[in-house]
Amino acid sequence: MMLLVWAAAAAPATPRKPAPAARKTTSFTPKSVPKRSYSSTSRKTAAAKSKAPISRKAARPTPRYYGQSEPAPERYREIQQALVERGYLRTDPNGRWDADSADALARFQRNQNLESNGKLDSLSLIALGLGPKRTVTAQTRPQ
């Protein structure tokens, strides 16, 4: 009997709250998305022609890189010719940047107190006399 008394004392005095009602959820299907319309003046991409939805990533233009990725063979030939004239390159200028050309440029850079990495940079080209061509003309003011 004692056990029953203890169980009655341990029972909560407040009634339990009823469980909340389940929410209604709606399912989203891609078919319910309205199709985009394109005017005749807008640019039509491959996605627009196939009527596929356009993602934001696909709509972004690809970045353009301006500038020169590597010198033309004629420019390599000019640089090699300048190295031959200064006695750093022993082979004929052929327009291809090879290990001999890079080694000759590294020795030239070392003698000019530049960073001797054998890579073409603006300071090395200026030291070779192949930098930007600037003409200075004196202009007089009218009196």
Side-chain angles (χ1 to χ4, degrees):
M1 183 135 173
M2 176 112 50
L3 184 61
L4 291 176
V5 173
W6 181 76
T14 59
R16 289 188 177 185
K17 293 182 182 177
R23 292 187 199 176
K24 289 186 176 181
T25 58
T26 58
S27 63
F28 177 77
T29 60
K31 293 180 182 178
S32 65
V33 175
K35 291 186 178 182
R36 296 181 184 187
S37 63
Y38 297 95
S39 66
S40 61
T41 57
S42 68
R43 264 205 254 167
K44 294 184 178 181
T45 61
K49 292 178 185 175
S50 67
K51 303 291 183 190
I54 299 176
S55 68
R56 288 184 182 203
K57 190 172 185 180
R60 293 180 189 161
T62 57
R64 292 188 180 177
Y65 298 103
Y66 297 99
Q68 184 175 343
S69 60
E70 71 177 64
E74 294 81 24
R75 184 67 170 165
Y76 280 142
R77 198 171 290 117
E78 288 177 3
I79 297 166
Q80 289 171 337
Q81 183 62 39
L83 289 170
V84 166
E85 290 171 0
R86 287 166 178 75
Y88 289 99
L89 185 64
R90 304 261 186 239
T91 62
D92 291 331
N94 56 10
R96 288 188 310 264
W97 197 254
D98 52 2
D100 292 336
S101 302
D103 183 50
L105 182 64
R107 285 185 279 122
F108 173 76
Q109 290 168 335
R110 194 175 315 115
N111 288 343
Q112 295 294 318
N113 295 326
L114 300 172
E115 183 181 357
S116 62
N117 55 9
K119 295 181 182 179
L120 293 171
D121 59 355
S122 60
L123 293 176
S124 300
L125 292 175
I126 291 169
L128 282 169
L130 300 173
K133 307 286 190 249
R134 296 187 179 163
T135 57
V136 179
T137 57
Q139 296 180 358
T140 58
R141 292 184 186 176
Q143 300 201 11

